[in-house]
Amino acid sequence: MDLLVRNATLVTSKGRRVVDIAIDGAAFVAIAEPGQAALRGDDEIDASGLHALPGLIDGHVHFREPGLEHEETWLTGTRAAVMGGVTTVLEMPNTVPPTDTVERAQSKLALAALSAYCDFGIFGLVGESGESVAELARSGRLVGLKTFLGPTTGGLRAPDDDGLRRALTIGREYGLRVAFHAEDREIVERSEAALRATGRTDALAHLESRPAEAEAAAIDRAGRLLHETGAPGHILHLSSAAGLAAVERWRAAGVDLTCEVTPHHLLLDRDVYETAGGVARVNPPVRGEPDSSALRAALADGRIDCVATDHAPHLAEHKLRASIWEVPSGFCGVETMLPLLLTRGVQEGWLSLERLAEVTSEAVARIWELGPRKGRVEVGADADLTLIDLDRPGVIHAADLHGKNNLSPFEGVRTRGAAVATIVRGRCVMRAGRLALDPGWGRAVIR
Ligand SMILES: [Zn+2]
């Protein structure tokens, strides 16, 4: 064996047990009772007292390369990922140029392979013209398609209903789920114009400009079109109880509709606009109670399928602008997801460790059909593993994070529990808080 992880408490959605985990090459080759099999590894990790999760998969990141390398790159984004226990990332298409042709998808994958610390998949864009979607889908380079129903970073518009129907039909034919940024453009533009006219420039005005009804209306539009076409869909970063109710209505109507929630929509309250100002600006906005508790309950009981970070960093000088209308939306998140969920979910008791394993790995692999090799700790699967110490204390500080731009609305938050080793396809990429491998190990996921 190349690597033996001894005495780990393996946690999956089905439960937990103490095991030895043997890895040869890139795959798991044995998962056995401790000491039972005569297993030997060239390298061994004593995981006594540690928990092992199926390698975390962040299904929603923006790593900004190509085109916006001043904000993030594949190297820095995946470095932050593995430091936070993430073994696979799925990256969004609003780079410059956007990922809207086969050529651009191929060149993004080639770029990522040069410097990624972890594995990766990419989404293709359903842009305003809807062009090239069929070729993109046919190319086999994507894990899914994405469309932006509301105004956000990149200014990429969705097609009209006819164009969306065509794209969804293509998605269905090629087995590609379509992900929706679900905010209604008309409602958001109208609300924002009205607020700007009053002279408001404070951070809370951003929340008021993007009401929950904008999310629910966009989900209703997506649901209606998915229902008409029979295509599978996914709602990104669900932020409200009203949005959740809309998802539930379309599921009841028979639509194959999955959804995700971010740590910030689950855990932040409205007072973040006072403490963090524009740093907290994100689309859709953080709403706080009572929406956040509705989202926590739904994540715990299965109505929300998974967690994703929407990691979307910007330059500090842009996030700290005085007027909220001049501040770009989004912030980093891929590195802080696990400590936040352990501290504010598992330790607080509303999220079990078993459910955590499901929503940060197993379910993500299932939704995006990452094949039999991702999201599971089984013989033959890719040896992706996140070892965690539930007691490890930490504090979230921008200066300690490993992305390129690290401002976060969670600045100063004390955490308990963190990844202490990140194993990607059999190789220990992070160990004891240090990078243990050169960049470039990451590979595109094969569906
Ligand atoms: Zn996003």
Side-chain angles (χ1 to χ4, degrees):
M1 307 306 152
D2 291 324
L3 176 61
L4 185 62
V5 179
R6 283 197 186 279
N7 294 311
T9 302
L10 175 63
V11 183
T12 70
S13 60
K14 294 186 184 72
R16 57 181 87 183
R17 63 197 170 108
V18 179
V19 292
D20 287 350
I21 301 168
I23 295 165
D24 203 34
F28 294 117
V29 291
I31 295 141
E33 299 284 311
Q36 251 195 13
L39 297 173
R40 275 277 162 74
D42 295 341
D43 187 10
E44 296 198 2
I45 295 177
D46 179 8
S48 304
L50 302 179
H51 290 74
L53 301 177
L56 267 58
I57 305 169
D58 187 345
H60 186 163
V61 302
H62 301 263
F63 281 173
R64 309 295 196 206
E65 190 181 2
L68 302 163
E69 291 84 354
H70 56 288
E71 293 179 338
E72 193 71 285
T73 63
W74 280 99
L75 187 137
T76 54
T78 56
R79 183 175 67 195
V82 297
M83 294 303 287
V86 172
T87 59
T88 301
V89 294
L90 306 182
E91 209 265 346
M92 289 297 164
N94 55 337
T95 40
V96 180
T99 318
D100 59 357
T101 66
V102 177
E103 250 185 357
R104 288 170 174 181
Q106 271 166 341
S107 87
K108 184 185 266 193
L109 289 170
L111 204 55
L114 291 176
S115 57
Y117 283 96
C118 67
D119 285 353
F120 50 85
I122 60 170
F123 285 84
L125 179 75
V126 177
E128 194 170 9
S129 72
E131 262 176 348
S132 309
V133 175
E135 289 153 70
L136 258 174
R138 210 179 303 134
S139 73
R141 307 282 163 173
L142 308 177
V143 294
L145 294 165
K146 174 168 182 181
T147 196
F148 295 86
L149 296 184
T152 190
T153 308
L156 299 166
R157 285 172 171 268
D160 60 15
D161 281 3
D162 282 339
L164 277 174
R165 272 188 210 98
R166 280 194 293 277
L168 291 172
T169 304
I170 292 164
R172 189 195 62 203
E173 272 172 37
Y174 291 95
L176 288 178
R177 190 175 286 274
V178 180
F180 292 87
H181 179 116
E183 288 185 291
D184 183 85
R185 179 174 292 276
E186 222 174 282
I187 295 175
V188 169
E189 287 177 350
R190 196 186 334 119
S191 316
E192 183 178 326
L195 279 153
R196 278 175 182 257
T198 68
R200 292 270 302 274
T201 59
D202 59 298
L204 208 55
H206 176 69
L207 165 61
E208 292 173 34
S209 74
R210 290 170 178 260
E213 61 161 318
E215 181 170 75
I219 293 172
D220 274 335
R221 181 181 173 203
R224 176 169 51 78
L225 296 166
L226 290 165
H227 192 254
E228 286 173 22
T229 54
H234 178 80
I235 302 301
L236 301 157
H237 43 50
L238 191 68
S239 70
S240 66
L244 175 63
V247 168
E248 293 263 273
R249 277 197 302 279
W250 287 106
R251 282 176 175 165
V255 173
D256 175 359
L257 186 58
T258 54
C259 64
E260 69 187 30
V261 66
T262 67
H264 47 275
H265 292 115
L266 286 171
L267 303 176
L268 288 175
D269 215 337
R270 200 172 293 215
D271 60 6
V272 74
Y273 294 106
E274 277 163 48
T275 56
V279 171
R281 181 180 156 154
V282 66
N283 299 332
V286 165
R287 304 182 195 283
E289 296 295 348
D291 290 291
S292 54
S293 55
L295 296 170
R296 290 194 296 273
L299 181 67
D301 71 20
R303 283 172 292 156
I304 293 176
D305 299 280
C306 65
V307 174
T309 67
D310 194 10
H311 177 94
H314 295 279
L315 293 179
E317 64 199 85
H318 295 170
K319 288 300 283 180
L320 298 173
R321 284 171 178 157
S323 165
I324 196 63
W325 309 119
E326 306 308 317
V327 174
S329 290
F331 39 77
C332 68
V334 72
E335 188 171 354
T336 50
M337 168 171 68
L338 180 61
L340 284 169
L341 291 175
L342 290 171
T343 307
R344 306 272 294 272
V346 175
Q347 317 277 11
E348 287 187 6
W350 63 268
L351 186 69
S352 70
L353 212 43
E354 286 80 358
R355 181 71 182 143
L356 176 78
E358 187 167 31
V359 301
T360 58
S361 182
E362 295 172 17
V364 192
R366 208 155 55 224
I367 290 166
W368 302 111
E369 296 183 29
L370 305 183
R373 290 161 55 176
K374 294 294 182 201
R376 56 184 78 196
V377 182
E378 287 168 13
V379 171
D382 280 359
D384 297 340
L385 211 57
T386 304
L387 294 183
I388 59 175
D389 178 347
L390 286 179
D391 292 320
R392 191 183 183 83
V395 184
I396 294 175
H397 281 314
D400 300 333
L401 297 173
H402 295 81
K404 194 170 245 186
N405 288 284
N406 297 307
L407 285 188
S408 155
F410 290 102
E411 176 71 27
V413 168
R414 292 182 175 282
T415 57
R416 200 173 123 227
V420 293
T422 306
I423 298 168
V424 179
R425 270 178 300 107
R427 301 288 288 275
C428 212
V429 182
M430 183 277 277
R431 198 157 170 175
R434 285 170 191 274
L435 291 168
L437 203 63
D438 291 333
W441 175 245
R443 285 292 169 266
V445 290
I446 300 157
R447 290 175 91 235

